[in-house]
Amino acid sequence: MFDLQIPPDPVAEPPPVVASAPAWDLTVGLISATVQLDQRNPDASTRRVGTGFLIDAPRPDGQPRTVLVTAHHVLNGMPGPDARIGWRYERPEGGWRFAPEPLTIRDAAGDPLWTRHPERDIAVMEVSAPPAFARAAIPLGWLADANALDAWQVGPGDELLTLGYPHGYSANTAGFPILRVGRVASWPLTPITAFPSFLLDFPVFPGNSGGPVFWTPSARKAPGALQPEHPFIAGVLVSEVRPGDDPLGIGIVAHANFVREAIALLDAPSGP
């Protein structure tokens, strides 16, 4: 997250028509499903910024549900009851508009409304998303499970893509996230019970936390390695390697299976 000077909010306009991104391309789909999260600090001149992305995770009875995924410390570092989630709308006449809306993250008693993975820096919460964002949410099945990286022969040197808002910056005034690439920088990656996170060689900045780390055919793999059957989300960017005050330009990624486990907790009984 990052304390950022807040620019003036855009002038209010009539609600525009919303368009969804192509569902067949995970890169475009993840861009469409990734959002900026922020909350104003008490001084009102700066804000805390993080990244989140949306997963289509139906309830056990089959009812549709859109789940926001981010790093736990992103939401936990926002003490107020309401954050903002950065929706984007396509204008009827062309172009896009950034239109953040309130997202209640704490109840009246100040308790979190999100669900935290009990051991990992991952948070999930159900959100009411505009129709285009609900359609753009990534299918739950595209989250890598505990065996996926082995099955698809993901290893050191392979490229993975990631999305986020480094230092609070977006790719444009419409609020789309910035797409970046890194290489897997650690070994072994599994079993995830022994290695719950892995390293990605790319510079990490405040605001990247909570962003998806994923693979599509545009990301290179080692020659001769098995090509995955479909694009997949490998994990969530949760931190950086920083010994003292010296950043190493290496990110720490929590495996996507822990996102699966956190979403399963949404349906777990809350009491006796």
Side-chain angles (χ1 to χ4, degrees):
M1 294 189 300
F2 184 61
D3 292 348
L4 183 72
Q5 295 295 324
I6 301 178
D9 287 332
V11 177
E13 300 178 15
V17 176
V18 181
S20 60
W24 43 262
D25 184 281
L26 183 62
T27 303
V28 175
L30 251 296
I31 289 173
S32 298
T34 299
V35 292
Q36 180 176 280
L37 303 171
D38 75 288
Q39 186 181 87
R40 293 175 185 264
N41 286 321
D43 63 8
S45 63
T46 60
R47 60 192 174 111
R48 306 284 286 176
V49 178
T51 302
F53 60 98
L54 304 177
I55 293 292
D56 178 17
R59 296 183 180 87
D61 62 2
Q63 291 297 309
R65 176 175 58 186
T66 303
V67 174
L68 173 69
V69 179
T70 187
H72 165 70
H73 76 264
V74 168
L75 297 179
N76 196 51
M78 298 178 177
D82 294 319
R84 298 195 310 174
I85 186 167
W87 304 129
R88 302 173 295 269
Y89 296 92
E90 190 172 13
R91 301 174 188 271
E93 70 277 12
W96 293 79
R97 181 171 67 95
F98 181 58
E101 295 181 357
L103 175 68
T104 301
I105 60 173
R106 299 177 187 277
D107 62 19
D111 295 325
L113 294 177
W114 68 88
T115 296
R116 179 186 182 180
H117 190 282
E119 298 175 340
R120 309 299 166 206
D121 188 9
I122 289 174
V124 298
M125 65 179 294
E126 182 176 352
V127 295
S128 178
F133 277 89
R135 292 192 298 269
I138 302 304
L140 180 67
W142 284 13
L143 286 168
D145 61 24
N147 302 311
L149 299 190
D150 284 338
W152 294 329
Q153 297 180 3
V154 177
D158 286 349
E159 286 185 345
L160 293 173
L161 306 176
T162 185
L163 291 160
Y165 296 90
H167 283 304
Y169 284 97
S170 57
N172 43 49
T173 57
F176 284 94
I178 295 174
L179 176 69
R180 300 168 68 198
V181 64
R183 289 184 179 271
V184 176
S186 58
W187 179 261
L189 305 182
T190 59
I192 68 171
T193 51
F195 305 100
S197 62
F198 62 90
L199 303 182
L200 193 67
D201 182 16
F202 87 109
V204 179
F205 300 98
N208 283 128
S209 292
V213 175
F214 60 101
W215 180 90
T216 72
S218 62
R220 291 174 291 182
K221 293 182 90 279
L226 181 68
Q227 192 82 346
E229 296 177 358
H230 58 74
F232 65 91
I233 300 173
V236 180
L237 194 286
V238 295
S239 187
E240 66 173 323
V241 179
R242 179 184 283 268
D245 295 328
D246 298 323
L248 296 184
I250 297 176
I252 301 175
V253 182
H255 283 284
N257 193 64
F258 299 122
V259 178
R260 287 175 171 267
E261 293 178 355
I263 290 175
L265 292 175
L266 294 175
D267 302 312
S270 57

